[in-house]
Amino acid sequence: MTTNPSQVRGMTAAALTKKILGNQPLFILDVRNEADFNDWKIEGKQIQTVNIPYFELLDGVENILDQIPDDREVLVVCAKEGSSIFVAEQLTEQGKVNVSFLNGGMKAWSEHLEPVKVGELKDGGTIYQFVRIGKGCLSYMVISGDEAAIIDAVRMTEVYESFAHDRRVLIKHTIDTHLHADHISGGRKLAESTGASYWLPPKDADEVVFFYHKLGQSSTITVGKSTISIQPVYSPGHTIGSTSLIVDDQYLLTGDSLFVQSIGRPDLAGKAEDWVGDLRNTLYNRYKLLSEDLTVLPAHFGQATELGDGGKVSARLGDLYRMNPGLNIQDEAKFRAAVTESLPPQPNAYEAIRQTNMGKTFPSDEEQREMELGPNRCAIHDK
Ligand SMILES: [Fe+2]
């Protein structure tokens, strides 16, 4: 079978992100096996996806041509890239135009970060959200004057470094709202490479083997000469140390305690029964004491429908008290059942990820990529 690689184009994860956020129609042919596809796939409001495993296409694509539309762009997707190039070439040879493959496959998709401006802070400061669209992780950069703080950094730390460099700001603080179980934190690595201070809630750090600054309610972290303050609010439940951050009296970074359409799960350290009461107290009492006008900025999103303007994921706290189902379970027993029973599967390799984030294991870059494949699953409701 002859193929001509020049016939097919690759689409980068960045270009695909732009299409999804721009609500452009796209047809995705995902050629991974059915289990991987059902576990995790590319989603968007205008995306239609069909899964036909690669091994069914080894003899050619003639049998599936009628399933491939001619009125839209077609993107072939696989785990790493190789099979999708092969299938895209076959489709092109069979007369399909406008077919491309995803550069780097789902691995590259998992790693793309899209920076989105959230809003202005006083005295000319800015807060950005970094949307890891393929995995659903959200991290933040607070900029004021010539300084920056990064919250819940993911492993691709070079993205934050070049973003800060372009804006001529120095990263002074990296902060984790909790010990993450779904992704490998970039907070410590980023602190080491930039000379920043790394902050972590001490109650999540019992087994942590490296030096960190204790993120507690008495610590106010200041960014820039204009003194944008980051005020921690202890909010246990998802983990026992989980700590939210109020930035510039405007934004509430909730970590994995509260999302836009769901709430955090308490079971990723094996202590759901112990922590469910803390989670209830955080969501139904502690956050209630805060201003309803705070803009909630979570550490994850669960579904493409949560992506707002330009990809931004945010909501007013008062609106979440009306609309988020997890904040509207008045009966305590029902709440307990909702957050401890019928939970979605736990994130892939979550225990190994926790060990890495404690500094106890040192997987290679490639092993870290493998550990992180799949969706984040930090909420009580899966997709
Ligand atoms: Fe988490």
Side-chain angles (χ1 to χ4, degrees), residues 263-267 271-281 283-284 326 329-343 380:
I263 57 173
R265 58 194 290 174
D267 66 318
K271 298 191 177 158
E273 296 300 326
D274 294 349
W275 293 355
V276 61
D278 292 311
L279 184 65
R280 171 110 187 152
N281 192 35
L283 297 175
Y284 287 72
I329 310 172
Q330 300 315 327
D331 184 86
E332 275 205 53
K334 283 189 182 146
F335 179 85
R336 179 171 282 271
V339 301
T340 58
E341 297 166 13
S342 326
L343 289 170
I380 61 164

Side-chain angles (χ1 to χ4, degrees), residues 178-182 238-239 256 268 300 378:
H178 62 290
L179 186 82
H180 294 285
D182 66 296
H238 174 64
T239 64
D256 286 357
L268 295 182
H300 289 114
C378 278

Side-chain angles (χ1 to χ4, degrees), residues 163-339:
F163 196 84
H165 181 262
D166 290 349
R167 280 151 191 80
R168 296 192 167 80
V169 295
L170 292 174
I171 297 172
K172 302 293 277 188
H173 303 280
T174 70
I175 306 164
D176 273 332
T177 53
H178 62 290
L179 186 82
H180 294 285
D182 66 296
H183 67 268
I184 292 163
S185 167
R188 186 163 55 109
K189 185 173 132 196
L190 193 54
E192 280 168 5
S193 65
T194 60
S197 304
Y198 173 61
W199 298 80
L200 183 67
K203 287 193 175 173
D204 277 2
D206 273 0
E207 297 176 60
V208 160
V209 295
F210 49 80
F211 174 78
Y212 66 96
H213 292 271
K214 292 180 177 163
L215 181 69
Q217 291 207 118
S218 57
S219 27
T220 297
I221 299 166
T222 301
V223 188
K225 294 192 186 79
S226 52
T227 64
I228 299 296
S229 74
I230 298 178
Q231 183 63 54
V233 178
Y234 182 48
S235 45
H238 174 64
T239 64
I240 196 61
S242 282
T243 300
S244 305
L245 302 168
I246 296 176
V247 175
D248 196 26
D249 300 322
Q250 295 185 60
Y251 295 99
L252 177 65
L253 276 62
T254 50
D256 286 357
S257 301
L258 174 61
F259 306 114
V260 169
Q261 292 180 359
S262 186
I263 57 173
R265 58 194 290 174
D267 66 318
L268 295 182
K271 298 191 177 158
E273 296 300 326
D274 294 349
W275 293 355
V276 61
D278 292 311
L279 184 65
R280 171 110 187 152
N281 192 35
T282 289
L283 297 175
Y284 287 72
N285 299 320
R286 279 177 201 244
Y287 282 168
K288 274 264 173 174
L289 300 174
L290 305 175
S291 163
E292 291 210 326
D293 286 327
L294 286 168
T295 299
V296 170
L297 297 171
H300 289 114
F301 68 94
Q303 345 198 16
T305 52
E306 291 177 58
L307 297 167
D309 267 0
K312 181 166 74 176
V313 180
S314 70
R316 190 176 159 273
L317 182 59
D319 293 342
L320 292 187
Y321 271 113
R322 285 203 313 282
M323 292 171 340
N324 185 318
L327 294 180
N328 286 283
I329 310 172
Q330 300 315 327
D331 184 86
E332 275 205 53
K334 283 189 182 146
F335 179 85
R336 179 171 282 271
V339 301

Side-chain angles (χ1 to χ4, degrees), residues 27-31 57 68 74-78 81 83-89 91 99-103 105:
F27 181 89
I28 291 181
L29 170 61
D30 191 322
V31 299
L57 303 170
I68 309 298
V74 174
L75 179 69
V76 188
V77 169
C78 67
E81 180 179 283
S83 347
S84 66
I85 294 178
F86 177 81
V87 173
E89 284 169 354
L91 290 171
V99 176
S100 55
F101 66 91
L102 179 61
N103 284 129

